[in-house]
Amino acid sequence: MIVMSSSSNKSLIIEAPCRLDAVRDAARVVRSFLATNGVDESEMDSWELVAVEAGNNAVQYAPAGTTPNGSEHSVRFLMNSWPDCVELCVTDHSQQFDWPADSVLPPEDSEHGRGIFLISALTDSVRYLRGKRENFLILRKDKKTRRGLNDVQRDADLETTLQMMTEELGASFESLSAIVKFSTEIGRAEDTAACAAKWLGELLKSTGTHWYVLRQYDRDCGTLSVVISSLPPTIEHQVITLPKHPTSTLPVELQAITEGKDIWFDDNTEAITTEALTSAFGETIAGFCHPIYVGSQLFGVISIGVRSSKADLTVSKINVIHTFAGFLAIQLCNSQAQKEALQSRVIGRELQIAANIQRSLLPKRLPQPTGWTLSAHSESAHQVGGDFYDAALVDDKNLVIAIADVMGKGVPAAMFAAIFRSHLLARPELAPTPGKMLSWMNRVLYADLSGVDMFVTAQIIHMDLETRKVTLASAGHCPAFIVEGDKNKLREICGDGSPLGIAIDSVFPEESFIMGPNARLLMFTDGLVEARNPSGRAFGSVAAADLLKTSAIDDLDAPATIRTILDGIADFQHGTAPTDDISLVLLAESSLLPTATAVPATSHS
């Protein structure tokens, strides 16, 4: 990778190989470049993500060359940092591509467009210029600055503000407060903690003090932790814990919080109350601790003082410290909120992408053997779930159906569901023997599952369509329900085996039987029987069995039976949010389909 920058360090050119790992390295260089140009931390996060997405698109759609991934086509990143905005131009060699006029989140079943959506959402303007040999994606975003001040002017204004504070120490509190509030209008693109340390250093000079410690209060843990400090590095890892029972010898910083007022200390204060501070000095200190509030919420406490036996601070200096401490706390809270908001948006987009990927793993069309209808439905309780199902005709007379439930929710569960699917399709020769299939999958998945304390319940059914022989094996999964012949009777086929990932040498016995006439076979995950109503009562297997028997009596096909069961669950829940994923697979005998075909699976939500 070739990196070049201008002498003024306002322009950057990166020539990266056409590889995904090279794109990630280039994005990190982009971030470092922006840091040297005073770009806000949250904006650096956005630009790094934009660079990755734009570079990934350039790699993915590069024409193939002498190597399978077209590595001879480099991806060029040209970035300029202007006073009021940042511009990134990414050069690619893709073909047959038009940037959409409106960038929206693509449909759930779409495999493309997510990167375009992210890029458009995180920038202010996008232009895509097509060329004969190469194309240019030009992205621009305004800098987060107040009043458009550049770095030099900003530093000068900061220094001017601090000088004004020093010169007017004898003025009233209202005047000093107005000066500090004015400083909030000054553009600041530096790291928040570094900027706060700089300002506090100037505050020490203007108030004649020597040191400070700013701690943040964690209400849940009852602790005070250092945010920034001028003391030796040893204090940075020091945590003060509030005792469960009141004591007369609380550390002075906790005294300030519990009493809600300034607490002064000097060489006459009991040693134990200032031990947290004096241990970092090894010498005599004096000063006061001031509790800081942001609105009505306690933020923490600032301790400030001198290296002597007595602190001599005027009321004017104390007021300056109070005001400035409150201002810093607001800035630190705002900065943290911005980072968390951006991280939440990025995670939200990643979860949406993961959910779309997970849905794409479920079959969009299910095989329809002659004389049978097959339908399925999967619904995640959260944005990303861990249920999975699939079905396949091995040949004209062999049908295989599988259903699985990964313990846990979210991205890890979806990942293991994807891995389960890949393994299921990898050994078609094991399809007639579901027990051997589960044994093989358990050995393959055991190390990964046990390493993260997860497991998978699964059920695999093989049916010989000519002889109507069904062979079932289960890995700790729910029983399968079967209605046949007498439609008022239902039997459960449980299988016997532990979940995948519990023991590497697990055995999964097979159970075989001949399917009777007018048969219906229902496979499901435990979210079906564990669905709750507003009073907390579970739906249960009896209610599910009754719905299946009713559908058989009414001669409903597989899709209609699925809808009947889902409607029954919805009526039972009466608006109660699901707590677990629900997946159903229904095989129903029918004489309406003369030839084998495939129909869409029911919706995946």
Side-chain angles (χ1 to χ4, degrees):
M1 183 170 63
I2 302 174
V3 180
M4 297 180 291
S5 61
S6 66
S7 57
S8 61
N9 202 29
K10 297 299 182 182
S11 298
L12 174 72
I13 299 176
I14 304 173
E15 289 280 354
C18 192
R19 301 195 312 270
L20 294 179
D21 61 333
V23 166
R24 290 192 293 271
D25 292 339
R28 284 189 281 268
V29 175
V30 165
R31 183 186 182 91
S32 300
F33 166 79
L34 293 175
T36 63
N37 280 271
V39 174
D40 182 82
E41 182 77 18
S42 63
E43 291 299 291
M44 287 192 288
D45 292 339
S46 297
W47 275 114
E48 184 176 4
L49 180 57
V50 165
V52 169
E53 291 295 338
N56 285 350
N57 283 342
V59 172
Q60 183 178 359
Y61 297 106
T66 56
T67 58
N69 63 355
S71 60
E72 81 281 16
H73 298 289
S74 64
V75 181
R76 181 183 304 157
F77 298 80
L78 170 60
M79 173 159 276
N80 292 302
S81 176
W82 310 113
D84 59 341
C85 69
V86 174
E87 184 180 87
L88 173 63
C89 177
V90 180
T91 304
D92 66 60
H93 301 84
S94 63
Q95 298 177 0
Q96 303 299 324
F97 174 80
D98 292 319
W99 195 273
D102 296 317
S103 178
V104 297
L105 188 65
E108 295 177 351
D109 58 351
S110 174
E111 298 181 0
H112 306 286
R114 300 182 183 91
I116 292 175
F117 173 78
L118 286 174
I119 292 170
S120 299
L122 293 175
T123 56
D124 292 331
S125 68
V126 178
R127 288 186 298 161
Y128 190 68
L129 308 179
R130 297 291 305 276
K132 292 183 178 180
R133 296 185 178 180
E134 56 189 11
N135 314 303
F136 304 91
L137 176 62
I138 303 173
L139 310 169
R140 179 172 291 187
K141 184 174 179 65
D142 294 336
K143 286 184 176 178
K144 282 190 175 181
T145 57
R146 302 182 180 95
R147 299 189 176 184
L149 296 176
N150 58 32
D151 294 343
V152 175
Q153 184 63 43
R154 183 189 66 246
D155 292 341
D157 288 341
L158 288 171
E159 293 176 3
T160 300
T161 302
L162 290 174
Q163 287 177 359
M164 293 173 64
M165 292 173 61
T166 304
E167 293 170 357
E168 297 197 21
L169 285 176
S172 64
F173 169 77
E174 290 79 12
S175 298
L176 290 172
S177 178
I179 293 172
V180 176
K181 289 179 180 178
F182 170 75
S183 68
T184 63
E185 299 177 3
I186 299 175
R188 186 180 76 246
E190 299 178 63
D191 176 73
T192 304
C195 184
K198 175 183 177 182
W199 278 56
L200 281 168
E202 294 296 330
L203 182 65
L204 295 184
K205 297 177 184 177
S206 64
T207 57
T209 49
H210 303 147
W211 58 267
Y212 67 84
V213 177
L214 179 63
R215 296 185 192 263
Q216 190 167 355
Y217 180 62
D218 187 327
R219 185 179 302 274
D220 295 332
C221 299
T223 57
L224 284 171
S225 301
V226 175
V227 179
I228 47 177
S229 170
S230 64
L231 297 184
T234 54
I235 201 172
E236 294 179 358
H237 304 293
Q238 186 186 78
V239 177
I240 300 175
T241 302
L242 183 67
K244 295 182 179 180
H245 304 289
T247 172
S248 59
T249 56
L250 278 176
V252 65
E253 292 156 295
L254 282 180
Q255 286 186 31
I257 286 179
T258 55
E259 297 182 24
K261 64 180 183 180
D262 291 354
I263 301 294
W264 288 79
F265 56 89
D266 54 27
D267 58 348
N268 293 321
T269 305
E270 292 185 23
I272 191 171
T273 62
T274 59
E275 182 179 358
L277 297 173
T278 55
S279 62
F281 277 100
E283 58 182 286
T284 299
I285 58 172
F288 72 100
C289 299
H290 169 65
I292 309 171
Y293 290 84
V294 175
S296 60
Q297 296 296 316
L298 177 66
F299 170 81
V301 60
I302 186 170
S303 303
I304 192 166
V306 295
R307 288 187 175 93
S308 63
S309 60
K310 188 173 181 60
D312 185 15
L313 295 174
T314 64
V315 173
S316 179
K317 291 181 179 179
I318 294 171
N319 286 335
V320 171
I321 294 170
H322 284 179
T323 303
F324 189 66
F327 159 69
L328 279 181
I330 292 172
Q331 299 305 310
L332 291 171
C333 286
N334 287 342
S335 176
Q336 182 63 29
Q338 291 173 4
K339 290 180 180 179
E340 291 175 354
L342 177 60
Q343 184 179 20
S344 178
R345 289 196 297 270
V346 172
I347 291 175
R349 292 189 184 99
E350 291 177 347
L351 285 175
Q352 183 60 54
I353 292 172
N356 292 340
I357 294 173
Q358 181 199 14
R359 280 187 284 271
S360 71
L361 296 175
L362 297 176
K364 295 179 177 62
R365 302 184 71 83
L366 293 171
Q368 302 296 308
T370 301
W372 300 84
T373 59
L374 183 62
S375 187
H377 175 86
S378 184
E379 180 178 346
S380 298
H382 303 281
Q383 195 166 5
V384 183
D387 280 7
F388 167 78
Y389 68 84
D390 202 356
L393 277 170
V394 179
D395 51 40
D396 291 340
K397 72 170 187 174
N398 290 284
L399 174 67
V400 177
I401 309 174
I403 191 167
D405 184 358
V406 183
M407 183 204 71
K409 309 302 169 202
V411 175
M415 290 175 60
F416 277 109
I419 295 172
F420 180 91
R421 176 181 185 268
S422 66
H423 290 325
L424 180 68
L425 301 176
R427 299 291 301 274
E429 73 277 7
L430 295 179
T433 53
K436 292 181 179 179
M437 172 71 80
L438 288 175
S439 295
W440 174 75
M441 294 180 70
N442 181 61
R443 290 193 299 272
V444 173
L445 294 173
Y446 177 79
D448 291 334
L449 287 170
S450 61
V452 292
D453 293 326
M454 296 181 70
F455 60 83
V456 178
T457 69
Q459 188 177 78
I460 300 178
I461 286 179
H462 170 266
M463 181 176 180
D464 186 320
L465 297 170
E466 288 186 350
T467 65
R468 303 176 68 93
K469 179 181 178 182
V470 175
T471 303
L472 177 148
S474 178
H477 200 76
C478 306
F481 286 175
I482 298 174
V483 175
E484 55 191 353
D486 186 345
K487 298 176 181 179
N488 284 316
K489 292 184 179 180
L490 177 142
R491 60 171 168 163
E492 299 181 4
I493 308 298
C494 298
D496 184 18
S498 62
L500 306 181
I502 299 299
I504 193 170
D505 56 352
S506 293
V507 177
F508 303 92
E510 297 177 351
E511 185 168 346
S512 298
F513 58 93
I514 301 299
M515 188 86 82
N518 302 316
R520 279 168 172 75
L521 184 150
L522 175 66
M523 303 167 69
F524 56 90
T525 58
D526 56 7
L528 169 65
V529 296
E530 294 178 2
R532 303 280 172 174
N533 66 5
S535 65
R537 186 167 61 89
F539 187 65
S541 59
V542 174
D546 288 342
L547 288 174
L548 181 61
K549 289 188 289 185
T550 299
S551 299
I553 293 172
D554 294 338
D555 287 325
L556 299 181
D557 62 7
T561 301
I562 290 284
R563 287 193 296 271
T564 298
I565 295 174
L566 293 176
D567 290 343
I569 296 173
D571 291 342
F572 175 80
Q573 290 178 308
H574 199 64
T576 302
T579 58
D580 197 3
D581 307 334
I582 297 176
S583 294
L584 312 171
V585 181
L586 195 285
L587 177 67
E589 190 167 8
S590 170
S591 60
L592 301 179
L593 294 176
T595 58
T597 182
V599 300
T602 60
S603 61
H604 311 140
S605 57

